[in-house]
Amino acid sequence: MQRRSFVPGAALATAAALAATLTSCTGGSGSGNGATDTKGGDTAATTQSAEPGKYRTLPEPCGLPSRNTLRRLLPPGGEESPQDAEKVYAGTADITYDTDRRVGCRWKREAPDGTRHLSLDFERVVSYDPAVSDDDKAQNVYAKKELAAELPAGTGSAKPTPSAGDKGGDGKPGAGGDGEDAGKTAAGGKASPAPTGSPSGSPSTDPSTDPSASPGSPTAPRVLDGLADAAFLNDKLITADSGVHRDVSIVFRSSNVIVTITYDRWSADKTALPDSKDLQDKAQALAQELADRFND
């Protein structure tokens, strides 16, 4: 019978491997401390960030209002070719740096009874503070816009809530105040500059010249109930040396998106004041249409 040779080194290596295996299975050590459980005991793993906003992108603004709505807000003023009408209703998109953060569109209609302008601005608010949700940040930005509008007392105005997310419009330090810098136009201005061709001269917004702006009037600036998550309407009659115009604006918030509608009518005849109710009704109809389409 052939005998197998005995190698001491191989036996020792086998014993050492077996001991290492037993040690790893029991998880024990001389100190009595078990292996770290990264799922159960790690604080960083259990910390959750605030909820993100409902909207991650923004719609194409020039195509959002229906054509019938645009016809009501910008009625033709006389003979007009189909090509000219199409050019008017197509609108002009604002140039922005980030179309996921801010977009806008504007329209202009010249007519014998006065030139009309319409503009839309969509701002998606993002909070980079893990303790502040996108919705909370957007509500804070919206509230500051409402306060800046200086609505009459007793309209239920919102109040901004100070938070760590007030470092800038998107919560980033140095990003600018309250979202106003997010997606600015390439020209460096805000999303709604003064319309081209406005009357020259120093404007006046004296409320005493505009009965519809008095607090008791149903057309006075006010908070709007039942529109999106929060909304308000502002109405200003502005006179200048060469004419008069009424500016109606509606701002509403839907989750983490803030929408601003600006609708105005200009007239060279200072005795023919643009009708407040007419402009407000049309602007509110557009606001409701946009809010409904956001919820589709």
Side-chain angles (χ1 to χ4, degrees):
M1 178 183 295
Q2 184 177 5
R3 296 182 179 179
R4 297 181 179 178
S5 58
F6 176 72
V7 183
L12 291 175
T14 302
L18 178 61
T21 302
L22 291 174
T23 301
S24 64
C25 289
T26 59
S29 64
S31 62
N33 294 327
T36 302
D37 183 356
T38 58
K39 291 183 179 180
D42 190 354
T43 304
T46 59
T47 302
Q48 295 183 351
S49 298
E51 287 293 324
K54 178 180 179 180
Y55 302 105
R56 304 297 181 90
T57 60
L58 290 172
E60 194 287 305
C62 294
L64 203 57
S66 69
R67 187 55 55 93
N68 287 337
T69 298
L70 288 176
R71 288 193 182 100
R72 286 192 293 269
L73 273 75
L74 306 167
E79 296 296 329
E80 183 179 56
S81 67
Q83 293 78 10
D84 290 339
E86 180 60 30
K87 185 176 181 180
V88 169
Y89 295 130
T92 302
D94 291 340
I95 300 175
T96 57
Y97 294 120
D98 187 350
T99 55
D100 282 337
R101 290 295 308 278
R102 196 158 201 165
V103 294
C105 189
R106 60 192 65 252
W107 296 261
K108 178 181 178 181
R109 163 71 76 185
E110 295 181 356
D113 63 344
T115 301
R116 299 176 189 241
H117 300 87
L118 171 67
S119 68
L120 300 180
D121 176 70
F122 298 83
E123 177 186 355
R124 186 175 68 91
V125 179
V126 178
S127 172
Y128 289 92
D129 185 341
V132 180
S133 69
D134 291 348
D135 279 21
D136 288 343
K137 180 63 184 178
Q139 171 59 22
N140 207 36
V141 173
Y142 165 84
K144 291 185 177 182
K145 289 178 180 289
E146 186 179 308
L147 289 178
E150 299 181 345
L151 304 182
T155 60
S157 300
K159 290 182 174 58
T161 303
S163 67
D166 287 341
K167 299 172 184 175
D170 54 7
K172 281 186 174 180
D178 306 318
E180 295 298 334
D181 289 338
K184 273 188 176 181
T185 61
K190 293 190 177 180
S192 298
T196 304
S198 60
S200 60
S202 301
S204 170
T205 57
D206 183 2
S208 63
T209 64
D210 184 14
S212 64
S214 60
S217 170
T219 57
R222 62 199 180 277
V223 170
L224 297 175
D225 295 327
L227 177 61
D229 295 323
F232 70 89
L233 178 149
N234 207 356
D235 187 329
K236 293 182 178 180
L237 181 69
I238 302 175
T239 59
D241 294 341
S242 57
V244 60
H245 66 96
R246 181 179 295 281
D247 296 353
V248 172
S249 60
I250 294 178
V251 179
F252 71 83
R253 179 182 72 86
S254 180
S255 185
N256 61 317
V257 170
I258 297 175
V259 179
T260 301
I261 299 170
T262 304
Y263 181 45
D264 63 60
R265 177 183 168 188
W266 299 74
S267 175
D269 184 359
K270 294 183 181 181
T271 63
L273 300 182
D275 183 66
S276 182
K277 186 178 186 304
D278 177 62
L279 270 65
Q280 288 191 21
D281 287 349
K282 291 176 179 177
Q284 288 188 75
L286 172 60
Q288 190 63 61
E289 179 181 317
L290 297 180
D292 291 343
R293 295 193 66 175
F294 258 76
N295 293 327
D296 286 347

